[in-house]
Amino acid sequence: MPLLFRRASLASLGLAFGLSALCLSPVMAQEAAPAAPAAPAAAPVDPNAVVATVNGQPLTEADLVLAEGELSQQFAQLPPEQRRAAALSAAIEIRVMAAKAVTDGLDKDPDFQRRMAFLQQRALHGEMVEKGVVDKVTDAEIRARYDQEIANTPPVNEVHARHILVKTKEEAEAIIKQLDGGGDFQKLANEHTSDPSGKSNGGDLGWFGPGQMVPEFDKAAFALDVGKYTKEPVQTQFGWHVIKLEDKRAKQPPAFDDVKDQAKQAVIRDKYFALVKSLRAGAKVEIPDAKLKQAVDTMEAGK
């Protein structure tokens, strides 16, 4: 299962870095207004602090944080200063409704108990993923995965090309004749191309890698030698092209920091599936329905 960042980020991210410096003269430094004092750090919140009581039962800061997290989508449109009050109101509402449900015996309903058992198992699954997988991923493992992906990625070239786009083959052939006679490609592009973006820059397309252009254009551009142009018009869905290759270079992989998060997700995924595989191997799982079993086995084999 290939990494997403191998196909996406390695194909699109570059290695451009920008450094900037701001230099102030002594006079400017003296005239500058003093920096505003840093805001004092917020005091740590005691998770056991009681924010309300409901029928004598405490509702704590920890309960409120949990409510805010679980109901965050419902509160997304509220101003930040209202979210805490909304979370507390929702938590109180949940408490009183839950108490009424217990009084009415709804907690004894078999369907409810099945849902509760499943929700508990799902929550424990999430805890296992967090504590047993995510929290155990190291920076060294992430870097090793990045290095592995870079090493396994075949080197590719990217090209810098120009083109002149016209409506008919005859127009393209006439332009090629002018080029054969010493015509200037950029000047001819400015005069004849129907590509709006190329009318003022000599048909410049910049740098691009394999697969970024339509197939016919891609094949013709990468087949050219540097400084050469196509001797036959190239037809695509957009019209007829005359293409010139300005330069060619090896495409550089993305910097580690640009794809670190994707590399981490790949490590997490592999560790997760390895853990599931080991646990499944030690579990006795029986599926009486042969057709369903085959479908599950097929799905598991693809992980």
Side-chain angles (χ1 to χ4, degrees), residues 151-218:
N152 291 341
T153 301
V156 296
N157 285 328
E158 58 181 358
V159 297
H160 177 197
R162 297 178 184 273
H163 81 136
I164 302 171
L165 175 63
V166 292
K167 293 182 179 180
T168 68
K169 183 178 181 181
E170 290 73 24
E171 289 177 277
E173 289 173 336
I175 289 170
I176 291 173
K177 284 184 179 181
Q178 292 184 64
L179 292 170
D180 290 341
D184 181 83
F185 194 97
Q186 295 186 44
K187 183 179 179 182
L188 289 170
N190 289 339
E191 292 174 354
H192 298 286
T193 189
S194 60
D195 179 0
S197 63
K199 282 188 170 295
S200 59
N201 65 1
D204 193 0
L205 294 169
W207 290 93
F208 56 90
Q212 290 183 249
M213 299 295 181
V214 292
E216 303 88 349
F217 191 102
D218 191 84

Side-chain angles (χ1 to χ4, degrees), residues 251-263:
K251 185 172 178 63
Q252 295 298 308
F256 172 66
D257 287 341
D258 291 338
V259 292
K260 182 178 179 180
D261 289 343
Q262 291 156 291

